[in-house]
Amino acid sequence: LGGVNYFGNLFAALAATPEAGVDAWVFHGSEALVPAAWVRQERRLAILREGSPAWAARSLIKRALDRDLLLERRLLAEGMELCSHPHVGRLRRLPSITWVSDLQHRHLPSFFSAADRRDRDRVFASAAAGATIVLASSEAARQDIEAFFPAARGRVRVLRFVVSNVVAAGEAPVDLEQRHQLPGRYGILPNQCW
């Protein structure tokens, strides 16, 4: 859910600033629907569908070449000038901005399996080394990224989360209140408290 809110806020900010001239497209491998308010165009690509033969071939090529050649070629063929949030490894002919959420696995390793810690380190190290700009959601995250992944030093920027007042489609608030037997007045603190 955090990723959905993050991207919803990002696309809302782009939509609110048409003078920036950013035409947002989403390339993904999911069967999920991308909200129409988010983007002008979306492309479902087999190379992004985890577990598909095309995804497996792309993964092998990425590891062998230390770059995401297949995705980069597709993005360039579509006329893209920038790839945002790829976590795909190095793109040599296309600037990229990626987001490293946090390094909780480094500070709270007991909450992650050894395999999860290795995977997060591998993905974040690749993003930190390959992206033109690395986004962090706080100053603390920026400091962690630069400390644990020195290749990113000087390219990390802080882009703080904002609260969105957009209500997601789904159950009406009154239905949720009844289902969860909430009192008439209550507050919600949606933090991860670990």
Side-chain angles (χ1 to χ4, degrees):
L1 187 57
V4 171
N5 290 333
Y6 178 84
F7 283 110
N9 284 334
L10 177 63
F11 289 122
L14 291 174
T17 53
E19 67 277 7
V22 176
D23 190 16
W25 289 39
V26 171
F27 292 83
H28 63 95
S30 169
E31 293 303 317
L33 296 175
V34 174
W38 280 14
V39 294
R40 186 176 74 82
Q41 295 281 341
E42 76 170 290
R43 298 283 190 270
R44 286 186 177 90
L45 305 179
I47 61 171
L48 297 177
R49 189 176 317 114
E50 192 169 343
S52 71
W55 175 85
R58 173 178 160 246
S59 297
L60 289 172
I61 292 168
K62 276 173 42 179
R63 286 185 187 206
L65 300 179
D66 188 33
R67 68 184 277 214
D68 200 339
L69 181 66
L70 297 181
L71 181 61
E72 185 173 40
R73 282 184 177 172
R74 180 61 189 265
L75 295 175
L76 288 167
E78 294 280 358
M80 298 299 107
E81 297 175 11
L82 171 74
C83 183
S84 178
H85 298 73
H87 275 316
V88 295
R90 197 174 311 273
L91 298 174
R92 297 223 172 109
R93 298 185 304 156
L94 191 65
S96 64
I97 299 172
T98 197
W99 172 51
V100 173
S101 55
D102 58 59
L103 299 176
Q104 292 181 27
H105 69 291
R106 291 290 189 110
H107 295 289
L108 301 166
S110 63
F111 290 106
F112 297 85
S113 70
D116 286 342
R117 290 192 308 270
R118 279 192 307 274
D119 286 347
R120 286 173 64 98
D121 274 343
R122 181 183 50 78
V123 168
F124 292 167
S126 174
T132 309
I133 297 291
V134 178
L135 296 178
S137 55
S138 68
E139 185 59 30
R142 183 196 64 76
Q143 291 172 6
D144 280 351
I145 294 164
E146 290 186 344
F148 290 115
F149 304 107
R153 286 186 185 143
R155 294 182 292 110
V156 183
R157 305 292 185 273
V158 175
L159 182 63
R160 289 174 177 80
F161 286 102
V162 296
V163 175
S164 173
N165 62 357
V166 176
V167 177
E171 291 184 73
V174 78
D175 295 337
L176 290 171
E177 291 168 358
Q178 289 172 352
R179 181 163 46 116
H180 296 288
Q181 299 175 351
L182 297 173
R185 292 178 51 118
Y186 58 91
I188 297 176
L189 181 63
N191 290 348
Q192 293 173 321
C193 297
W194 39 275

